[in-house]
Amino acid sequence: QVQLVESGGGLVQAGGSLRLSCAASGRTFSRYTMGWFRQAPGKEREFAAAISWSGGSTYYKDSVKGRFTISRDNAKNTVYLQMNSLKPEDTAVYYCASAHAGRGWPLHQQYEYSYWGQGTQVTVSS
């Protein structure tokens, strides 16, 4: 129903920046909450950031507040994650996910999201 493809990952030094993109196709992009999750080596997947269907509201994991910015361009069916001041502990595979806006707000649990991308690797060196 919805296909999500992440891009923009890579290797950066601590303190650097990356901008991840997630392109959506299939169902209407509008009316979907979009989120970013991440999974570090040997750890479980965790929530990072979410944005409402209209783009008017955002929600972040405490550890990324002030460093990460989630945004969306509904005309392009794309959601972004601007990551600044990256730390080695940010190293993870980052996944884009979408959820029906009708589930509520904020949405920060994996089970609330219906569609997932395949992930993009972000590696931050010290």
Side-chain angles (χ1 to χ4, degrees):
Q1 293 180 329
V2 175
Q3 294 79 47
L4 304 173
V5 180
E6 304 95 334
S7 62
L11 173 64
V12 298
Q13 294 182 334
S17 299
L18 281 176
R19 187 195 191 206
L20 306 183
S21 298
C22 173
S25 62
R27 298 195 173 211
T28 302
F29 188 64
S30 183
R31 300 308 200 285
Y32 280 95
T33 295
M34 300 298 297
W36 287 96
F37 290 74
R38 64 187 186 180
Q39 186 168 22
K43 297 185 180 295
E44 295 184 350
R45 191 175 302 181
E46 66 176 9
F47 170 80
I51 187 167
S52 63
W53 68 267
S54 67
S57 299
T58 57
Y59 186 73
Y60 299 93
K61 176 179 173 65
D62 285 345
S63 61
V64 309
K65 287 181 179 178
R67 300 189 299 119
F68 290 10
T69 302
I70 187 171
S71 62
R72 68 191 295 163
D73 185 340
N74 287 348
K76 296 182 178 180
N77 290 346
T78 302
V79 63
Y80 307 95
L81 185 67
Q82 178 67 46
M83 305 185 295
N84 299 326
S85 301
L86 283 163
K87 305 174 181 179
E89 50 262 44
D90 294 319
T91 294
V93 176
Y94 283 71
Y95 297 90
C96 176
S98 65
H100 294 285
R103 295 189 69 101
W105 178 261
L107 301 176
H108 55 87
Q109 296 177 281
Q110 293 185 60
Y111 79 85
E112 295 174 316
Y113 288 79
S114 298
Y115 310 105
W116 295 81
Q118 294 183 325
T120 185
Q121 176 70 48
V122 172
T123 302
V124 184
S125 62
S126 60

